[in-house]
């Protein structure tokens, strides 16, 4: 038994040593170059059966270290094939952190391919001694074509909320319209109908932190001359997105790939919110006061369910919360709270340490509820004693008596003359 224990301990130590040797390169790889692959263009899109397509692939180094010798490889499977096997791998060269590069590949779509979504593998290598990493992408193949000559245009864009705040969820609705005005059109002596067929529509975010959820629209049917259709997409903006206007891309598949289009859809993000500003001095006199505040909506669109709630230790407020309701952009609303406290205060106007007053503003931007705080507002607490008040009255009475005596003396002197 002792002999087996003596053999087991060296064996375990050997395993730990071997695992540490293999673990070291892995940890180094995490801190090294890291390649992110994206297909940025497919032309034509969708890929046409029996035709060539151009595939533009972008690689970005999102790691902390330089990639010394980057290569991109396309590994096609049926129905895709490269124009030449020697073009499967393209070298990018060195790629510093946060730098991007792109390469274009030419592939053929088999003439017997079926319409639908097919996948293709793309491999990348940071340098010649590094292992290859693989990602799989979907490519739509084989859109039906028609002889219709209707033209689909983007007629309107409506987002809800109109301006997103970081962290908001909402919708973007696009209206597509067939701009044809007559049921038929004659081209080179041949008559065509002016119906428009929308076969697919996808909204693609172009910025990190903005996502579009839900299934893309497909096979939406036929639009006659002058007809329109509304497509609504669900959009989410993360908390990290900064203020600004961002573009989403609306990709449309129409009558044939000749009529496909990509349109920019702007999305506004603005973090400005509800401001609460004292409109009178914040002071409690003899333990009570009426506090007045101006509430302003500084956001570019309307807020709903706006309410303000004050809090201060040892102070009671009436009402507990002031409900304002909807507020338009740049609208100013004045509110009042009655405040009462039994916190000790300074005598004859000499206040002790101010009480910390906190105001919270809650409101809704579309379906999103928000709350922001206005804190560290000093609320002075003073006492005006009866002695000080009576002294003021006595001084005022004496002034009146002196003025009256002066007037009488003046009149008597005038009469004696």
């Amino acid at each position: 038994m002792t002999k087996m224990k003596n053999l087991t301990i060296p064996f375990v130590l050997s395993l730990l040593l071997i695992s540490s040797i293999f673990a070291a390169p892995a940890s180094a790889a995490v801190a090294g170059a890291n390649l992110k692959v994206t297909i940025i263009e497919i032309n034509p899109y969708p890929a046409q059966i029996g035709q060539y397509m151009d595939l533009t692939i972008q690689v970005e180094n999102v790691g902390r270290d330089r990639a010394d010798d980057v290569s991109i490889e396309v590994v096609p499977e049926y129905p895709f094939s490269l124009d030449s096997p020697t073009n499967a791998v393209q070298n990018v060269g060195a790629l510093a952190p946060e730098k991007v590069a792109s390469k274009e590949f030419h592939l053929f779509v088999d003439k017997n391919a079926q319409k639908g979504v097919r996948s293709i593998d793309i491999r990348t290598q940071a340098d010649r001694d590094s292992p290859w990493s693989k990602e799989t992408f979907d490519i739509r193949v084989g859109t039906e074509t028609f002889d219709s000559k209707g033209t689909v245009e983007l007629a309107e864009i409506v987002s809800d909320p109109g301006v997103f705040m970081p962290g908001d969820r909402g919708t973007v609705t696009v209206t597509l319209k067939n701009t044809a005005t007559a049921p038929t059109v004659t081209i080179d002596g041949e008559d065509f109908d002016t119906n428009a067929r929308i076969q697919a529509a996808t909204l693609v975010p172009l910025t990190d932190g903005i996502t579009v959820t839900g299934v893309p629209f497909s096979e939406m049917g036929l639009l006659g001359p002058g007809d329109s259709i509304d497509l609504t997409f669900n959009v989410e903006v993360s908390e990290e997105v900064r203020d600004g206007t961002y573009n989403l891309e609306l990709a449309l598949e129409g009558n044939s790939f000749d009529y496909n289009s990509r349109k920019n859809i702007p999305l506004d993000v603005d973090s400005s919110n509800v401001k609460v500003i004292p409109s009178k001095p914040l002071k409690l006199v003899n333990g009570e006061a009426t506090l007045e505040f101006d509430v302003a909506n500084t956001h570019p669109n309307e807020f709903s369910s706006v309410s303000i709630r004050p809090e201060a230790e040892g102070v009671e407020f009436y009402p507990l919360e002031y409900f304002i309701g909807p507020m338009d952009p740049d609208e100013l609303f004045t509110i009042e709270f009655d405040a009462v406290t039994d916190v000790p205060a300074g005598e004859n106007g000499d206040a002790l340490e101010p009480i910390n007053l906190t105001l919270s503003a809650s409101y809704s931007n579309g379906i999103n509820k928000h709350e922001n705080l206005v804190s560290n507002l000093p609320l002075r607490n003073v006492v005006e004693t009866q002695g000080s008040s009576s002294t003021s009255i006595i001084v005022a009475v004496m002034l009146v008596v002196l003025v009256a005596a002066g007037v009488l003396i003046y009149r008597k002197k005038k009469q004696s003359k």
Side-chain angles (χ1 to χ4, degrees):
M1 188 71 176
T2 304
K3 184 177 181 181
M4 182 167 291
K5 285 184 178 179
N6 293 336
L7 291 174
T8 303
I9 293 173
F11 178 71
V12 171
L13 291 175
S14 300
L15 287 178
L16 291 173
L17 178 62
I18 293 171
S19 63
S20 65
I21 292 173
F22 282 100
S27 61
V30 172
N34 187 14
L35 302 179
K36 176 183 176 182
V37 181
T38 311
I39 295 178
I40 59 174
E41 186 176 6
I42 303 172
N43 186 27
Y45 181 82
Q48 298 301 298
I49 296 172
Q51 297 183 23
Y52 275 96
M53 71 171 182
D54 295 330
L55 196 66
T56 304
I57 300 172
Q58 175 182 283
V59 60
E60 178 183 4
N61 184 1
V62 296
R64 293 199 295 265
D65 295 338
R66 167 189 166 107
D68 293 323
D69 192 14
V70 177
S71 293
I72 305 174
E73 181 184 17
V74 172
V75 186
E77 295 183 0
Y78 183 86
F80 305 114
S81 61
L82 285 160
D83 55 347
S84 171
T86 59
N87 297 332
V89 179
Q90 295 195 39
N91 184 259
V92 172
L95 200 62
E98 300 184 2
K99 296 298 181 181
V100 299
S102 61
K103 290 292 182 179
E104 187 174 278
F105 294 82
H106 303 280
L107 296 98
F108 185 75
V109 184
D110 189 85
K111 63 181 180 180
N112 296 318
Q114 299 296 313
K115 175 186 173 181
V117 176
R118 303 291 181 266
S119 62
I120 190 169
D121 292 336
I122 298 174
R123 303 203 310 163
T124 55
Q125 187 183 43
D127 56 67
R128 294 185 180 182
D129 296 329
S130 299
W132 289 87
S133 60
K134 182 182 73 172
E135 292 191 47
T136 302
F137 296 86
D138 291 335
I139 297 177
R140 183 183 290 273
V141 174
T143 301
E144 298 175 0
T145 60
F146 302 90
D147 289 333
S148 300
K149 300 299 181 183
T151 302
V152 174
E153 295 291 341
L154 180 60
E156 189 179 18
I157 305 168
V158 177
S159 62
D160 184 21
V163 179
F164 283 65
M165 299 181 72
D168 275 358
R169 295 179 296 113
T171 59
V172 173
T173 300
V174 296
T175 301
L176 303 177
K177 184 177 181 179
N178 181 358
T179 58
T181 57
T184 60
V185 62
T186 302
I187 302 175
D188 296 331
E190 186 176 356
D191 292 336
F192 298 89
D193 70 63
T194 54
N195 296 323
R197 291 174 172 82
I198 304 174
Q199 298 184 87
T202 307
L203 191 62
V204 182
L206 304 178
T207 304
D208 290 340
I210 299 178
T211 57
V212 178
T213 60
V215 180
F217 290 92
S218 61
E219 304 299 339
M220 286 163 285
L222 181 146
L223 291 180
D227 290 345
S228 61
I229 186 173
D230 293 335
L231 307 179
T232 299
F233 300 89
N234 297 320
V235 178
E236 296 181 5
V237 177
S238 73
E239 294 281 0
E240 290 73 29
V241 176
R242 296 182 178 180
D243 293 2
T245 299
Y246 300 90
N247 281 328
L248 295 83
E249 185 178 74
L250 179 65
L252 298 175
E253 298 176 30
N255 290 354
S256 69
F257 68 87
D258 290 332
Y259 296 100
N260 293 346
S261 62
R262 294 176 181 268
K263 304 180 185 298
N264 286 331
I265 308 297
L267 184 76
D268 293 327
V269 179
D270 193 313
S271 59
S272 55
N273 49 39
V274 172
K275 301 292 184 184
V276 183
I277 307 164
S279 53
K280 288 183 178 179
L282 295 176
K283 184 173 71 171
L284 293 167
V285 178
N286 298 331
E288 60 183 32
T290 298
L291 306 179
E292 185 176 286
F293 302 93
D294 288 334
V295 182
N297 176 11
T298 63
H299 197 68
N301 57 255
E302 178 189 275
F303 284 146
S304 61
S305 302
V306 179
S307 66
I308 310 298
R309 184 181 183 89
E311 289 184 10
E313 187 174 356
V315 182
E316 295 183 357
F317 296 94
Y318 305 95
L320 297 177
E321 184 172 4
Y322 199 115
F323 183 78
I324 297 174
M327 290 190 71
D328 293 328
D330 292 329
E331 183 176 1
L332 186 69
F333 200 93
T334 301
I335 63 175
E336 289 183 346
F337 291 97
D338 291 330
V340 179
T341 185
D342 55 5
V343 175
E347 296 289 337
N348 298 322
D350 297 327
L352 299 178
E353 285 295 323
I355 301 171
N356 185 54
L357 171 63
T358 299
L359 292 156
S360 61
S362 60
Y363 49 92
S364 295
N365 187 34
I367 62 172
N368 308 282
K369 295 187 179 300
H370 293 270
E371 182 171 335
N372 58 275
L373 299 178
V374 180
S375 58
N376 297 323
L377 294 176
L379 178 60
R380 296 177 57 224
N381 186 16
V382 300
V383 171
E384 292 183 356
T385 62
Q386 293 295 326
S388 62
S389 299
S390 59
T391 302
S392 300
I393 295 171
I394 292 170
V395 171
V397 170
M398 290 178 65
L399 287 174
V400 172
V401 170
L402 288 174
V403 171
V407 171
L408 290 173
I409 292 170
Y410 173 76
R411 286 180 177 177
K412 284 183 179 181
K413 287 182 178 181
K414 191 174 181 181
Q415 289 174 358
S416 65
K417 288 181 181 180

